[in-house]
Amino acid sequence: MKLPPNAWPTMLASWAPSTAKNYECVGKRWLAFTELYDIRPLKPTVMQCMKFLTDYLATGVGHSAMNTTRSCLSCFITIEGIPVGEVPAIARLIKGTRRLRPPKSKIQHVWDPVPVLHHLQAWGPIQGLDLEQLTRRTMLLFLLGSGQRLQALHLMKRADIQWEDTFLRIQYTERLKTNDPTDNPLRLMFSQHEDLSLCVYSHLKAYLAREETQSAAPYVFSTVKIPTVRASPATISRQVKTALRKAGVGENFTAYSARSATTSAAARNNVPLNTILQLAGWTTETTFSRFYNRPLVTPPNLEETNFIPSLLE
């Protein structure tokens, strides 16, 4: 079977960029394998697919890479009308890789957000912060208050923010990892906090009012060195990580660890599990408990979206 000339770009658009990149790697490996063994790429046998998978497993990859490979092949290959990944022998093989090489979270323990919040308080009033301090505190407070990924900082647009007298709403118009702007937009809400040094509302308002940040438009976050430009994902990660280091969080923790730290702390402080799952973008408790809930959201009606008050109680 040969695809029509314009089919492949359209099919790629159905996947997130990271998924398309992973699938491209799988596709290249599969085409090299089929060429080596003179196999028709879209008409292999079950045994040929199993050899491909077991050869790949022998290179030392884990269950996650095997599962990605299975998912990619299933997009194109069917055997007797069944996607290849659902063929019983293939499904059993992939299940076996999970037992032999189970996925492991990179984070086994998390840091306590409360001392970090106290450290941020000690920086003083918003009006006294320079652009670098304001940027770091705004980013970190947003992550600790929402439990979101760093992506939520990078893709936040100024027009996504609706300002009210005592609270703000954010409805994302960009596609995030688990949120489609049409069918399932990410919605957040922050009310003013009585302590302005920990108030997401006040920090975002002050940040957007700074002349130096206008270069990031239509997005929110800019670099801090003049001339400023829109902050890249790597820049945002570096700013958050630097703020964590200054607050005493160890070198072994990345900027992304803020997501685990704040959601774990919220769970310890009895924030309802459904609220944590909805806000952080998880559909099942399993994902949270397996990968994020480590020792030491809201539906469209928009209840308060801020973990910080409960963390300080």
Side-chain angles (χ1 to χ4, degrees), residues 119-139 141 196-199 202-204 206-207 210 212:
H119 174 80
L120 295 178
Q121 280 178 312
W123 291 11
I126 296 175
Q127 296 81 357
L129 301 180
D130 60 30
L131 179 60
E132 186 173 69
Q133 291 175 314
L134 179 60
T135 300
R136 291 173 179 173
R137 195 158 77 175
T138 301
M139 288 179 175
L141 286 177
L196 296 185
S197 65
L198 296 178
C199 177
S202 299
H203 278 75
L204 274 174
Y207 184 85
R210 294 287 290 258
E212 304 98 311

mmCIF file of all heavy atoms in Angstrom, residues 119-139 141 196-199 202-204 206-207 210 212:
data_model
loop_
_atom_site.group_PDB
_atom_site.id
_atom_site.type_symbol
_atom_site.label_atom_id
_atom_site.label_comp_id
_atom_site.label_asym_id
_atom_site.label_seq_id
_atom_site.Cartn_x
_atom_site.Cartn_y
_atom_site.Cartn_z
ATOM 1 N N HIS A 119 10.988 30.896 51.821
ATOM 2 C CA HIS A 119 12.140 31.540 51.200
ATOM 3 C C HIS A 119 11.680 32.611 50.213
ATOM 4 O O HIS A 119 12.239 33.715 50.182
ATOM 5 C CB HIS A 119 12.994 30.492 50.482
ATOM 6 C CG HIS A 119 14.124 31.072 49.697
ATOM 7 N ND1 HIS A 119 15.314 31.465 50.266
ATOM 8 C CD2 HIS A 119 14.236 31.341 48.363
ATOM 9 C CE1 HIS A 119 16.102 31.950 49.339
ATOM 10 N NE2 HIS A 119 15.484 31.886 48.170
ATOM 11 N N LEU A 120 10.661 32.300 49.418
ATOM 12 C CA LEU A 120 10.145 33.278 48.461
ATOM 13 C C LEU A 120 9.555 34.492 49.179
ATOM 14 O O LEU A 120 9.685 35.625 48.710
ATOM 15 C CB LEU A 120 9.095 32.632 47.561
ATOM 16 C CG LEU A 120 9.593 31.524 46.627
ATOM 17 C CD1 LEU A 120 8.430 30.937 45.837
ATOM 18 C CD2 LEU A 120 10.668 32.033 45.694
ATOM 19 N N GLN A 121 8.901 34.250 50.311
ATOM 20 C CA GLN A 121 8.363 35.365 51.110
ATOM 21 C C GLN A 121 9.480 36.323 51.517
ATOM 22 O O GLN A 121 9.295 37.543 51.531
ATOM 23 C CB GLN A 121 7.685 34.826 52.370
ATOM 24 C CG GLN A 121 6.276 34.287 52.165
ATOM 25 C CD GLN A 121 5.708 33.735 53.467
ATOM 26 O OE1 GLN A 121 6.376 32.972 54.165
ATOM 27 N NE2 GLN A 121 4.481 34.102 53.784
ATOM 28 N N ALA A 122 10.635 35.750 51.844
ATOM 29 C CA ALA A 122 11.736 36.562 52.367
ATOM 30 C C ALA A 122 12.334 37.497 51.317
ATOM 31 O O ALA A 122 13.124 38.386 51.662
ATOM 32 C CB ALA A 122 12.837 35.647 52.925
ATOM 33 N N TRP A 123 11.969 37.325 50.057
ATOM 34 C CA TRP A 123 12.478 38.229 49.026
ATOM 35 C C TRP A 123 11.871 39.623 49.138
ATOM 36 O O TRP A 123 12.366 40.559 48.530
ATOM 37 C CB TRP A 123 12.177 37.668 47.638
ATOM 38 C CG TRP A 123 12.958 36.433 47.297
ATOM 39 C CD1 TRP A 123 13.719 35.669 48.138
ATOM 40 C CD2 TRP A 123 13.051 35.824 46.010
ATOM 41 N NE1 TRP A 123 14.276 34.613 47.468
ATOM 42 C CE2 TRP A 123 13.877 34.678 46.145
ATOM 43 C CE3 TRP A 123 12.501 36.110 44.765
ATOM 44 C CZ2 TRP A 123 14.171 33.831 45.083
ATOM 45 C CZ3 TRP A 123 12.800 35.274 43.707
ATOM 46 C CH2 TRP A 123 13.634 34.144 43.856
ATOM 47 N N GLY A 124 10.782 39.722 49.899
ATOM 48 C CA GLY A 124 10.196 41.026 50.127
ATOM 49 C C GLY A 124 9.057 41.367 49.193
ATOM 50 O O GLY A 124 8.612 40.535 48.393
ATOM 51 N N PRO A 125 8.560 42.612 49.266
ATOM 52 C CA PRO A 125 7.404 43.027 48.467
ATOM 53 C C PRO A 125 7.682 42.959 46.965
ATOM 54 O O PRO A 125 8.824 43.084 46.522
ATOM 55 C CB PRO A 125 7.169 44.483 48.913
ATOM 56 C CG PRO A 125 7.870 44.615 50.223
ATOM 57 C CD PRO A 125 9.040 43.676 50.165
ATOM 58 N N ILE A 126 6.607 42.804 46.205
ATOM 59 C CA ILE A 126 6.725 42.716 44.744
ATOM 60 C C ILE A 126 7.403 43.959 44.185
ATOM 61 O O ILE A 126 8.242 43.881 43.284
ATOM 62 C CB ILE A 126 5.327 42.535 44.112
ATOM 63 C CG1 ILE A 126 4.703 41.211 44.559
ATOM 64 C CG2 ILE A 126 5.411 42.594 42.594
ATOM 65 C CD1 ILE A 126 3.284 41.013 44.077
ATOM 66 N N GLN A 127 7.050 45.113 44.727
ATOM 67 C CA GLN A 127 7.563 46.373 44.179
ATOM 68 C C GLN A 127 9.083 46.475 44.274
ATOM 69 O O GLN A 127 9.708 47.218 43.513
ATOM 70 C CB GLN A 127 6.934 47.562 44.911
ATOM 71 C CG GLN A 127 5.435 47.681 44.739
ATOM 72 C CD GLN A 127 4.655 46.753 45.671
ATOM 73 O OE1 GLN A 127 5.241 45.972 46.412
ATOM 74 N NE2 GLN A 127 3.333 46.848 45.613
ATOM 75 N N GLY A 128 9.685 45.740 45.212
ATOM 76 C CA GLY A 128 11.131 45.818 45.398
ATOM 77 C C GLY A 128 11.919 44.798 44.608
ATOM 78 O O GLY A 128 13.152 44.773 44.691
ATOM 79 N N LEU A 129 11.248 43.957 43.834
ATOM 80 C CA LEU A 129 11.939 42.907 43.089
ATOM 81 C C LEU A 129 12.465 43.433 41.761
ATOM 82 O O LEU A 129 11.784 44.208 41.072
ATOM 83 C CB LEU A 129 10.988 41.740 42.815
ATOM 84 C CG LEU A 129 10.345 41.043 44.025
ATOM 85 C CD1 LEU A 129 9.430 39.926 43.558
ATOM 86 C CD2 LEU A 129 11.401 40.516 44.982
ATOM 87 N N ASP A 130 13.668 43.017 41.389
ATOM 88 C CA ASP A 130 14.135 43.325 40.044
ATOM 89 C C ASP A 130 13.488 42.327 39.076
ATOM 90 O O ASP A 130 12.778 41.400 39.497
ATOM 91 C CB ASP A 130 15.658 43.301 39.954
ATOM 92 C CG ASP A 130 16.277 41.950 40.323
ATOM 93 O OD1 ASP A 130 15.625 40.899 40.110
ATOM 94 O OD2 ASP A 130 17.419 41.935 40.821
ATOM 95 N N LEU A 131 13.720 42.493 37.776
ATOM 96 C CA LEU A 131 13.036 41.658 36.777
ATOM 97 C C LEU A 131 13.371 40.185 36.955
ATOM 98 O O LEU A 131 12.493 39.319 36.837
ATOM 99 C CB LEU A 131 13.414 42.105 35.365
ATOM 100 C CG LEU A 131 12.774 41.296 34.218
ATOM 101 C CD1 LEU A 131 11.255 41.378 34.277
ATOM 102 C CD2 LEU A 131 13.298 41.775 32.868
ATOM 103 N N GLU A 132 14.620 39.882 37.271
ATOM 104 C CA GLU A 132 15.011 38.489 37.437
ATOM 105 C C GLU A 132 14.298 37.858 38.628
ATOM 106 O O GLU A 132 13.762 36.742 38.537
ATOM 107 C CB GLU A 132 16.522 38.395 37.618
ATOM 108 C CG GLU A 132 17.046 36.966 37.643
ATOM 109 C CD GLU A 132 18.561 36.937 37.659
ATOM 110 O OE1 GLU A 132 19.156 37.344 38.687
ATOM 111 O OE2 GLU A 132 19.153 36.510 36.651
ATOM 112 N N GLN A 133 14.269 38.544 39.756
ATOM 113 C CA GLN A 133 13.568 38.023 40.933
ATOM 114 C C GLN A 133 12.071 37.876 40.674
ATOM 115 O O GLN A 133 11.464 36.873 41.048
ATOM 116 C CB GLN A 133 13.800 38.955 42.121
ATOM 117 C CG GLN A 133 15.218 38.953 42.658
ATOM 118 C CD GLN A 133 15.390 39.985 43.754
ATOM 119 O OE1 GLN A 133 14.948 41.137 43.622
ATOM 120 N NE2 GLN A 133 16.023 39.597 44.844
ATOM 121 N N LEU A 134 11.476 38.877 40.041
ATOM 122 C CA LEU A 134 10.049 38.834 39.752
ATOM 123 C C LEU A 134 9.726 37.664 38.817
ATOM 124 O O LEU A 134 8.730 36.961 39.012
ATOM 125 C CB LEU A 134 9.592 40.145 39.126
ATOM 126 C CG LEU A 134 8.107 40.237 38.732
ATOM 127 C CD1 LEU A 134 7.213 40.057 39.948
ATOM 128 C CD2 LEU A 134 7.820 41.557 38.038
ATOM 129 N N THR A 135 10.566 37.454 37.819
ATOM 130 C CA THR A 135 10.354 36.351 36.886
ATOM 131 C C THR A 135 10.402 35.016 37.603
ATOM 132 O O THR A 135 9.505 34.173 37.444
ATOM 133 C CB THR A 135 11.427 36.390 35.776
ATOM 134 O OG1 THR A 135 11.333 37.620 35.062
ATOM 135 C CG2 THR A 135 11.241 35.233 34.804
ATOM 136 N N ARG A 136 11.434 34.814 38.408
ATOM 137 C CA ARG A 136 11.600 33.532 39.090
ATOM 138 C C ARG A 136 10.493 33.282 40.100
ATOM 139 O O ARG A 136 9.961 32.173 40.190
ATOM 140 C CB ARG A 136 12.975 33.477 39.763
ATOM 141 C CG ARG A 136 14.120 33.400 38.770
ATOM 142 C CD ARG A 136 15.471 33.508 39.449
ATOM 143 N NE ARG A 136 16.553 33.406 38.459
ATOM 144 C CZ ARG A 136 17.833 33.600 38.729
ATOM 145 N NH1 ARG A 136 18.211 33.924 39.963
ATOM 146 N NH2 ARG A 136 18.748 33.488 37.778
ATOM 147 N N ARG A 137 10.128 34.316 40.863
ATOM 148 C CA ARG A 137 9.101 34.090 41.876
ATOM 149 C C ARG A 137 7.745 33.875 41.229
ATOM 150 O O ARG A 137 6.956 33.039 41.690
ATOM 151 C CB ARG A 137 9.053 35.259 42.872
ATOM 152 C CG ARG A 137 8.263 34.885 44.132
ATOM 153 C CD ARG A 137 8.611 35.746 45.328
ATOM 154 N NE ARG A 137 8.006 37.070 45.268
ATOM 155 C CZ ARG A 137 8.089 37.963 46.253
ATOM 156 N NH1 ARG A 137 8.791 37.680 47.361
ATOM 157 N NH2 ARG A 137 7.525 39.144 46.144
ATOM 158 N N THR A 138 7.445 34.590 40.140
ATOM 159 C CA THR A 138 6.169 34.411 39.450
ATOM 160 C C THR A 138 6.066 33.003 38.878
ATOM 161 O O THR A 138 5.043 32.320 39.032
ATOM 162 C CB THR A 138 6.014 35.437 38.317
ATOM 163 O OG1 THR A 138 6.098 36.752 38.864
ATOM 164 C CG2 THR A 138 4.675 35.271 37.611
ATOM 165 N N MET A 139 7.120 32.543 38.226
ATOM 166 C CA MET A 139 7.112 31.200 37.639
ATOM 167 C C MET A 139 6.939 30.123 38.706
ATOM 168 O O MET A 139 6.112 29.214 38.560
ATOM 169 C CB MET A 139 8.414 30.952 36.870
ATOM 170 C CG MET A 139 8.549 31.719 35.577
ATOM 171 S SD MET A 139 10.151 31.353 34.784
ATOM 172 C CE MET A 139 9.965 32.250 33.243
ATOM 173 N N LEU A 141 5.825 30.373 41.861
ATOM 174 C CA LEU A 141 4.530 30.433 42.526
ATOM 175 C C LEU A 141 3.428 29.837 41.649
ATOM 176 O O LEU A 141 2.538 29.132 42.137
ATOM 177 C CB LEU A 141 4.183 31.874 42.888
ATOM 178 C CG LEU A 141 4.941 32.483 44.064
ATOM 179 C CD1 LEU A 141 4.538 33.947 44.252
ATOM 180 C CD2 LEU A 141 4.689 31.703 45.354
ATOM 181 N N LEU A 196 0.655 39.101 49.715
ATOM 182 C CA LEU A 196 0.967 39.457 48.331
ATOM 183 C C LEU A 196 2.291 38.876 47.859
ATOM 184 O O LEU A 196 2.508 38.717 46.650
ATOM 185 C CB LEU A 196 0.980 40.978 48.179
ATOM 186 C CG LEU A 196 -0.360 41.689 48.418
ATOM 187 C CD1 LEU A 196 -0.227 43.171 48.117
ATOM 188 C CD2 LEU A 196 -1.462 41.065 47.578
ATOM 189 N N SER A 197 3.173 38.527 48.788
ATOM 190 C CA SER A 197 4.449 37.940 48.388
ATOM 191 C C SER A 197 4.285 36.508 47.891
ATOM 192 O O SER A 197 5.222 35.941 47.320
ATOM 193 C CB SER A 197 5.452 37.979 49.548
ATOM 194 O OG SER A 197 5.002 37.159 50.619
ATOM 195 N N LEU A 198 3.096 35.923 48.120
ATOM 196 C CA LEU A 198 2.808 34.568 47.636
ATOM 197 C C LEU A 198 1.563 34.549 46.754
ATOM 198 O O LEU A 198 0.940 33.502 46.578
ATOM 199 C CB LEU A 198 2.605 33.610 48.822
ATOM 200 C CG LEU A 198 3.821 33.397 49.730
ATOM 201 C CD1 LEU A 198 3.458 32.470 50.883
ATOM 202 C CD2 LEU A 198 5.005 32.834 48.942
ATOM 203 N N CYS A 199 1.205 35.668 46.199
ATOM 204 C CA CYS A 199 -0.038 35.806 45.439
ATOM 205 C C CYS A 199 0.245 35.675 43.939
ATOM 206 O O CYS A 199 0.899 36.541 43.349
ATOM 207 C CB CYS A 199 -0.690 37.162 45.742
ATOM 208 S SG CYS A 199 -2.191 37.472 44.801
ATOM 209 N N SER A 202 -1.273 38.675 41.942
ATOM 210 C CA SER A 202 -0.526 39.931 42.017
ATOM 211 C C SER A 202 0.785 39.857 41.248
ATOM 212 O O SER A 202 1.214 40.833 40.623
ATOM 213 C CB SER A 202 -0.252 40.285 43.479
ATOM 214 O OG SER A 202 -1.475 40.452 44.184
ATOM 215 N N HIS A 203 1.437 38.694 41.277
ATOM 216 C CA HIS A 203 2.707 38.568 40.575
ATOM 217 C C HIS A 203 2.516 38.596 39.056
ATOM 218 O O HIS A 203 3.296 39.247 38.345
ATOM 219 C CB HIS A 203 3.420 37.284 41.005
ATOM 220 C CG HIS A 203 4.168 37.430 42.288
ATOM 221 N ND1 HIS A 203 3.544 37.472 43.518
ATOM 222 C CD2 HIS A 203 5.503 37.583 42.539
ATOM 223 C CE1 HIS A 203 4.454 37.626 44.476
ATOM 224 N NE2 HIS A 203 5.647 37.697 43.904
ATOM 225 N N LEU A 204 1.518 37.894 38.556
ATOM 226 C CA LEU A 204 1.270 37.933 37.109
ATOM 227 C C LEU A 204 0.914 39.349 36.653
ATOM 228 O O LEU A 204 1.370 39.813 35.602
ATOM 229 C CB LEU A 204 0.149 36.963 36.741
ATOM 230 C CG LEU A 204 0.561 35.514 36.479
ATOM 231 C CD1 LEU A 204 -0.666 34.637 36.276
ATOM 232 C CD2 LEU A 204 1.499 35.408 35.273
ATOM 233 N N ALA A 206 1.801 42.203 38.080
ATOM 234 C CA ALA A 206 2.998 43.042 38.128
ATOM 235 C C ALA A 206 3.967 42.670 37.007
ATOM 236 O O ALA A 206 4.596 43.546 36.406
ATOM 237 C CB ALA A 206 3.679 42.891 39.487
ATOM 238 N N TYR A 207 4.064 41.395 36.714
ATOM 239 C CA TYR A 207 4.987 40.955 35.675
ATOM 240 C C TYR A 207 4.564 41.489 34.305
ATOM 241 O O TYR A 207 5.381 42.002 33.550
ATOM 242 C CB TYR A 207 5.035 39.419 35.645
ATOM 243 C CG TYR A 207 6.038 38.882 34.659
ATOM 244 C CD1 TYR A 207 7.373 38.741 35.007
ATOM 245 C CD2 TYR A 207 5.652 38.526 33.367
ATOM 246 C CE1 TYR A 207 8.313 38.280 34.093
ATOM 247 C CE2 TYR A 207 6.581 38.062 32.445
ATOM 248 C CZ TYR A 207 7.905 37.926 32.813
ATOM 249 O OH TYR A 207 8.826 37.485 31.904
ATOM 250 N N ARG A 210 5.433 45.126 33.537
ATOM 251 C CA ARG A 210 6.821 45.528 33.316
ATOM 252 C C ARG A 210 7.088 45.727 31.821
ATOM 253 O O ARG A 210 6.771 44.866 30.997
ATOM 254 C CB ARG A 210 7.773 44.477 33.872
ATOM 255 C CG ARG A 210 7.745 44.328 35.377
ATOM 256 C CD ARG A 210 8.401 45.496 36.081
ATOM 257 N NE ARG A 210 9.835 45.544 35.915
ATOM 258 C CZ ARG A 210 10.705 45.164 36.839
ATOM 259 N NH1 ARG A 210 10.279 44.703 38.017
ATOM 260 N NH2 ARG A 210 12.004 45.259 36.620
ATOM 261 N N GLU A 212 9.784 45.587 30.186
ATOM 262 C CA GLU A 212 10.751 44.652 29.610
ATOM 263 C C GLU A 212 10.115 43.350 29.140
ATOM 264 O O GLU A 212 10.686 42.634 28.316
ATOM 265 C CB GLU A 212 11.845 44.318 30.638
ATOM 266 C CG GLU A 212 12.570 45.530 31.204
ATOM 267 C CD GLU A 212 11.993 45.938 32.556
ATOM 268 O OE1 GLU A 212 10.750 46.054 32.660
ATOM 269 O OE2 GLU A 212 12.784 46.130 33.496
#
